[in-house]
Structures are given as structure tokens and as C-alpha cells.
Amino acid sequence: VSRNLSQLISNSTSKLDPSVVESFDHRVNASIDPNPFRLIFSREMESLFHLVGFELKHDIELLKGSVEKWARDMLEQLQTSLRDQQNDAADAVLQKWKYLEPITKMDAFAGLQQLRPEAFDTQLRNHADKLKEEAEGVVSK
């Protein structure tokens, strides 16, 4: 059992490898499958991990931290790109975000509101509002 659980965690971790995330193209690739992550982060699995071994719980925390880091980095890249009016860079970040978005919607990340999909929507909405204000200012002159 321990070996199978360890393999599940390892396989899920490999899906967060920088080479996988950075090469994601939503036109060709499917977003990350959230089902293995749902299983890993489920309450039932947490109970099992306590029985099987602490090292697996540690691996789960590392996996969760990796998802959080990717989401945090992408949100920061999006904010910077929008602020600096680098629309192509912002688009590239949003395309990569499509890969991770399914797992960030999970309850395991509910406490991290700043990294949920809504945070990206808010950034885009704020940027659109800013552009609208600038356009209205130009038109009214």
C-alpha cells in the first residue's frame, strides 16, 4: 500500500515539473488531471497516510507547496506583465494557468484565496477597468 501511495504522489509531483508546466500549450495539451490530486488531498487519504507512514504526509505537504508556489509565481508574473503592459507575456502566463487551474479549485487550497482562480479573474477585471478608464479619458478630451 505504501509503495502504491508513494507512486501516486510521485506521479502527481512529476506533473508539476517545470518542463511540463512551461511547455503546456492549451491548444494541444489537456489541463492537469485533478483526480489524483483529489485522492491525495482527501480526508480519507489523510487518515490512511497517518496509518501508513509519516514520510508520505511529508511528501504530500511538498506536493501541496509546489502547487501553491506555481500559483503564486504565475499570479505575480501576471500582475507584473499587466502592470508593464506586456500583453504577450500576460497571455503566456494565462495559458500556463489553464494547466494548473483545475487543481487550485480543490478544497485543499480553499484557505489560499489569493491563489484561487478568482484571483486571476480579479487581476484581469482590474486591468480591463483601468484600460476602460484610460480610453474614456482619451475620448473625453
Side-chain angles (χ1 to χ4, degrees):
V1 173
S2 179
R3 192 172 355 135
N4 290 341
L5 294 174
S6 182
Q7 187 63 46
L8 176 65
I9 295 168
S10 178
N11 289 345
S12 297
T13 300
S14 70
K15 293 177 188 331
L16 298 173
D17 186 87
S19 64
V20 175
V21 178
E22 294 294 336
S23 66
F24 174 74
D25 182 348
H26 75 284
R27 296 167 296 197
V28 179
N29 310 109
S31 295
I32 195 167
D33 180 5
N35 290 326
F37 292 86
R38 281 193 189 104
L39 179 61
I40 291 168
F41 295 124
S42 70
R43 287 190 189 124
E44 296 81 9
M45 196 60 88
E46 187 173 336
S47 299
L48 183 59
F49 288 132
H50 284 295
L51 295 173
V52 173
F54 180 76
E55 65 278 352
L56 292 177
K57 183 67 173 163
H58 177 72
D59 291 346
I60 290 172
E61 291 304 319
L62 290 176
L63 177 61
K64 187 174 181 181
S66 183
V67 172
E68 292 169 2
K69 182 177 179 346
W70 271 114
R72 188 175 289 105
D73 289 352
M74 285 184 191
L75 183 59
E76 189 175 295
Q77 290 171 8
L78 178 63
Q79 291 167 332
T80 300
S81 299
L82 291 174
R83 182 190 67 234
D84 297 345
Q85 298 179 353
Q86 298 173 338
N87 295 335
D88 289 342
D91 183 56
V93 172
L94 290 171
Q95 299 316 313
K96 284 191 296 186
W97 173 246
K98 289 179 182 179
Y99 179 72
L100 284 180
E101 187 175 15
I103 57 177
T104 61
K105 292 178 179 180
M106 295 172 40
D107 289 343
F109 300 99
L112 301 167
Q113 292 301 322
Q114 72 275 19
L115 302 179
R116 304 275 290 190
E118 297 80 14
F120 285 77
D121 295 342
T122 298
Q123 289 299 315
L124 291 173
R125 197 171 20 263
N126 290 346
H127 185 67
D129 290 345
K130 179 182 171 191
L131 292 176
K132 179 182 173 188
E133 287 176 18
E134 289 174 4
E136 287 172 345
V138 169
V139 171
S140 67
K141 287 185 180 182

